[in-house]
Amino acid sequence: MSKLHVFNHPLISHKLTNIRKVTTATKDFRETVNEIAGLMAYEITRDLKLQDVTIETPVATTTQKELAQEVFIIPILRAGLGMVDGINRLIPTAKIGHIGIYRDEETLEPKEYFSKLPQGLETAMNLVVDPMLATGGSAIAAITMLKARGAQTIKLVCLVGAPEGVEAVHAAHPDVDVYLASLDEKLNDKGYIVPGLGDAGDRLFGTK
Ligand code: PRP
Ligand code: URA
């Protein structure tokens, strides 16, 4: 059964408050989204697989641990792109796959328009990243696509989520853990998260 993990950390709470403010400029918004994503990734990757490796230090031969599993960062375009650099800074060897999905503004239905994914989805830890989990439609579609291509270990990483979206992801993909910096109150009648932070893609890229 999947789990919801909501980060309860003063640094994350403080940074999130900053990007919620309507007055926060694009540059600060973009930097802070990456900072939060990086902080979250440190904890989310706690169960990465390790293997023994024998190395020489300047003093002795010793058996130590190294990563035995790849990390794939898979942003849902566009807004997911805003989280990639922050995670990639922590895991420079991570490969990056892209899934293009936008939400139809009238129906709120997810529309897929692009995908380009690395080889090895079966064994990697696949981090699907998107700042916003609203109805859950976009995340569910992205996870469905990854599973169809063989992905086994998938984690959904969002900054702000609505209870409706969390429920929908749990129902559609009970094996996928959901990580949020904040679980907000609800969706409004336009499908925006309340209190939320507005349209994450527009705020990241300055398009509105
Ligand atoms: C936003 C957001 C998520 C989606 C969440 O993307 O980045 O992908 O909406 O909503 P949902 O949970 O109801 O599917 P949007 O469709 O605005 O596209 P964009 O990232 O290109 O701006
Ligand atoms: N997408 C966003 O960017 N913001 C919301 O509040 C909901 C969906």
Side-chain angles (χ1 to χ4, degrees), residues 3 35 61 70 83 122 126 137 168 195 198 205:
K3 276 204 222 134
E35 285 171 13
T61 301
E70 283 196 294
M83 298 170 68
E122 302 81 2
N126 297 288
F205 299 110

Side-chain angles (χ1 to χ4, degrees), residues 103 132 134 191-193 198-200:
R103 204 168 70 141
M132 310 308 279
Y192 275 83
I193 300 172
D199 187 308

Side-chain angles (χ1 to χ4, degrees), residues 116-185:
K116 189 82 184 170
L117 298 164
Q119 299 286 321
L121 290 168
E122 302 81 2
T123 52
M125 176 183 283
N126 297 288
L127 304 180
V128 175
V129 302
D130 190 328
M132 310 308 279
L133 177 63
T135 65
S138 304
I140 290 169
I143 293 166
T144 302
M145 182 195 288
L146 288 174
K147 285 186 175 174
R149 308 234 185 141
Q152 306 274 334
T153 304
I154 303 173
K155 299 182 182 223
L156 175 64
V157 187
C158 304
L159 300 198
V160 180
E164 295 89 331
V166 173
E167 281 295 305
V169 173
H170 281 344
H173 296 294
D175 54 322
V176 173
D177 280 13
V178 178
Y179 297 81
L180 298 177
S182 170
L183 179 63
D184 274 15
E185 215 177 291

Side-chain angles (χ1 to χ4, degrees), residues 8-86:
N8 181 17
H9 191 287
L11 291 177
I12 292 179
S13 301
H14 180 84
K15 289 175 192 293
L16 194 56
T17 298
N18 280 341
I19 58 170
R20 287 186 192 274
K21 293 176 188 164
V22 68
T23 48
T24 298
T26 301
K27 172 180 177 290
D28 296 326
F29 189 91
R30 203 180 284 152
E31 285 174 4
T32 310
V33 166
N34 271 313
E35 285 171 13
I36 298 172
L39 289 169
M40 291 175 74
Y42 182 76
E43 188 57 32
I44 289 165
T45 50
R46 182 174 283 284
D47 58 347
L48 269 172
K49 294 195 175 89
L50 293 170
Q51 64 193 10
D52 286 341
V53 59
T54 302
I55 58 162
E56 304 288 335
T57 77
V59 179
T61 301
T62 176
T63 300
Q64 299 292 332
K65 301 286 182 198
E66 68 177 11
L67 289 178
Q69 188 177 23
E70 283 196 294
V71 177
F72 292 175
I73 308 168
I74 304 174
I76 301 179
L77 306 181
R78 286 175 305 167
L81 288 174
M83 298 170 68
V84 172
D85 286 352

